[in-house]
Amino acid sequence: MSELTAYELEREANIARNRALLEELDLKDAVTQLGIPPKPKPAPRSRPKPVQPTNKVKREREVVEAPRRQSARLKKEVVDPNETAAQKKQREEEQKKRRQIEEQERLEAEEKARLAKRPRHQDLDLTTLGDELQESELSSLRSSLQAITNVPLPKRTADADAFVFPEDRKSEAEVKELRNKLQKLRVVSRAKVTAYRVYSAAYHPEATKDLVFFGDKHGQVGIWDARAPVDEVEDEDGDISADHREGGKHWRLQCHWPASSTSSISSIKFDPVDAHSLFTTSYDGTIRHLSFVSGISQEIFSSEHLITSMDLSVSGHEMWISDASGGLTHLDLREPKDKACWYGLSAAKIGTVSINPTSPHFLLTASNSRVLKVWDSRKLQKLASATGPYQFSQYTVEDLVGSKKGKGTVRGIFQHGKSVSSAYWDPRGRSIVSTSYDDSIRLWDLDVAKHDSSTTFPSFTPFGMIKHSCQTGKWVTILRAVWNPNPDVFPHFTIGNLNHALDIYSCKGHLLARLKDSLLTATQAVTCSHPSVVERYATGNASGRCILWASPDVE
């Protein structure tokens, strides 16, 4: 193509200048009449649509408000200027009685409003918990919960020497096989399950369902049947798109009260005996037990401390509870809750506690004091007696650890660079994974049964470290590396990635998969895995939107 002459260049410049001048004067018709070609519009940028929530009609909730005081001057009571002394006396007596009644009603309403903001300690049924659900939704929820109580599904554990091979090539073959399966996973269902930020999650072990329980920032439990059939719902443009609508069915239960950030659900666990009930811990200092059979939620424990996590032994009789005051509480579910024993183990918050599934007397704690420790609960419980006391300060525990009687109370200790945000045993009770704000994931491999009789583990140094950003800040839930609870598969764990992905690593530190999707625009901070199906994972983010990752053929 020949180059433009000076005349043609000047002519093009004049046309562009005239077009701009006419458009400034809002003379678009004149631009058209002169035959000046319109300026091409840039192509619109395509943005991923968020999940379209199902339009639900909410049931009216009674809002308790304290009455407002009213000025007598503004009431403008009309007084008859010709009233007699007897009429005046009668009017004043009536006003006095009315004021007394109004004052009594005001005090009762204020007390009712005050009680509405306090935690609920009484038993609650599904109707009370799901006060925003319609009758048809409550009925479908009861049916879904009853369906998973037909057969007991106890928590399964693996042998301590499971997947321990004398030759590395066998381990590499297991890793390769698992990697090939996991890298095929895709997003098969999405929904806004909770109203607020997801704090915790648990995957029910029923193999024929994908029933996931999420705990949110305001004390709400979202129950998601991720692959249940749904009705078609139009989006704001009137279109129906399978890519953007919600998947499955979900219900929301207000298990902890009040519905505010003081009731955030810090952990969720199923009953390890049969998975027919749910335990939830909350920042309000309470632990509740929801039975799927009766539909009744009961408070089983309350504390003055902010509860951060809990774990149950495989027998289902014992519970260990960590708190923000640096303590662990031992609760025997067969005894009255006032016999629970509190042990001060740290000067800083203990974020997680994990019970070894094969040697349940070994407890793993992760603390803001930057220390990960393995405790022998048999030594700790020597402090307690049947008649009390039931609280032991940090100084009492330190004296025990330093004494001859308490030798072996702390079996292992490891100092991290910054606060330890989580630490968990794997289903074999052999591997440990920890996460820390020093942006690292650390891995241990311990044959704890072999060293059960020794006072300390011969070595408690992690064999591997993975760099992983854990700087979640204020608005994203703390990232935790969580083991897949399925004992039939090579041990591996999941953790959210700040680049809006789900990372899956083996117990040897190999990256098995990094799952992404173009529609994901938020960090999948909370993760959980199906205890019975290998290729099934669920994640949740800060807006309450949740994802089911599975093989594309399950859609």
Side-chain angles (χ1 to χ4, degrees), residues 68-362:
R68 297 178 182 178
R69 292 179 178 270
Q70 292 183 343
S71 168
R73 178 179 62 82
L74 295 177
K75 289 182 180 179
K76 295 182 179 179
E77 295 184 3
V78 179
V79 179
D80 186 0
N82 300 320
E83 69 179 352
T84 62
Q87 289 173 333
K88 181 179 180 182
K89 183 178 180 182
Q90 182 183 358
R91 176 175 59 81
E92 289 177 346
E93 288 177 354
E94 290 175 353
Q95 285 179 342
K96 184 178 179 181
K97 288 180 181 178
R98 189 163 60 250
R99 281 196 297 269
Q100 289 176 345
I101 293 171
E102 288 176 354
E103 181 65 15
Q104 183 64 26
E105 290 176 348
R106 185 184 66 80
L107 292 174
E108 289 176 356
E110 285 181 352
E111 179 66 13
K112 193 175 179 181
R114 185 179 66 83
L115 291 175
K117 295 180 180 179
R118 295 179 60 186
R120 300 183 289 193
H121 300 285
Q122 70 273 26
D123 292 356
L124 305 170
D125 59 15
L126 281 181
T127 305
T128 305
L129 295 173
D131 61 348
E132 291 187 354
L133 299 176
Q134 300 295 319
E135 286 300 326
S136 59
E137 293 174 313
L138 281 171
S139 177
S140 67
L141 173 59
R142 288 190 183 96
S143 300
S144 295
L145 294 180
Q146 288 292 336
I148 59 176
T149 59
N150 296 328
V151 179
L153 297 166
K155 182 178 180 180
R156 299 182 300 148
T157 60
D159 294 333
D161 57 354
F163 299 101
V164 178
F165 304 107
E167 299 177 3
D168 289 342
R169 56 184 181 152
K170 290 187 177 180
S171 177
E172 291 170 0
E174 290 282 347
V175 169
K176 183 178 179 180
E177 181 184 355
L178 186 58
R179 180 182 285 125
N180 291 337
K181 290 180 179 179
L182 299 185
Q183 288 186 346
K184 297 175 184 177
L185 302 187
R186 299 291 180 267
V187 174
V188 298
S189 187
R190 301 183 298 149
K192 184 170 171 59
V193 179
T194 61
Y196 300 95
R197 186 205 304 185
V198 175
Y199 266 56
S200 53
Y203 216 127
H204 194 272
E206 172 58 51
T208 61
K209 278 184 165 294
D210 287 293
L211 203 60
V212 194
F213 291 69
F214 293 95
D216 84 348
K217 184 178 180 179
H218 284 198
Q220 197 175 76
V221 172
I223 305 172
W224 188 29
D225 192 349
R227 290 192 297 126
V230 293
D231 299 328
E232 292 184 338
V233 179
E234 293 184 354
D235 61 17
E236 67 270 11
D237 300 325
D239 301 324
I240 297 175
S241 171
D243 294 334
H244 301 124
R245 72 183 180 193
E246 285 195 327
K249 293 180 180 178
H250 67 269
W251 305 267
R252 296 171 184 171
L253 302 180
Q254 192 67 50
C255 291
H256 293 266
W257 191 263
S260 67
S261 57
T262 59
S263 301
S264 303
I265 296 180
S266 51
S267 64
I268 294 179
K269 300 282 184 183
F270 294 108
D271 188 337
V273 175
D274 54 17
H276 290 174
S277 56
L278 185 77
F279 293 93
T280 55
T281 65
S282 170
Y283 284 0
D284 64 9
T286 65
I287 300 178
R288 297 194 73 91
H289 170 262
L290 172 63
S291 170
F292 300 155
V293 178
S294 65
I296 301 297
S297 171
Q298 294 178 313
E299 181 182 285
I300 63 167
F301 180 71
S302 62
S303 170
E304 61 184 9
H305 307 286
L306 187 151
I307 298 175
T308 56
S309 76
M310 56 92 179
D311 200 7
L312 290 141
S313 63
V314 178
S315 66
H317 300 318
E318 291 182 289
M319 179 184 289
W320 284 91
I321 307 154
S322 65
D323 60 55
S325 302
L328 278 190
T329 301
H330 175 251
L331 177 65
D332 191 325
L333 298 175
R334 298 163 294 184
E335 294 184 352
K337 59 184 178 182
D338 58 358
K339 292 196 179 243
C341 277
W342 184 87
Y343 303 91
L345 303 186
S346 172
K349 164 187 167 184
I350 295 179
T352 63
V353 59
S354 179
I355 301 175
N356 189 298
T358 53
S359 301
H361 48 276
F362 286 137

Side-chain angles (χ1 to χ4, degrees), residues 31-77:
V31 174
T32 306
Q33 290 173 5
L34 289 174
I36 300 174
K39 191 176 181 180
K41 293 183 179 179
R45 302 172 90 182
S46 61
R47 291 186 180 179
K49 280 188 177 181
V51 178
Q52 300 298 317
T54 308
N55 296 323
K56 295 183 179 181
V57 180
K58 290 186 178 180
R59 197 166 64 182
E60 291 295 329
R61 178 191 284 182
E62 181 185 359
V63 180
V64 181
E65 291 185 0
R68 297 178 182 178
R69 292 179 178 270
Q70 292 183 343
S71 168
R73 178 179 62 82
L74 295 177
K75 289 182 180 179
K76 295 182 179 179
E77 295 184 3

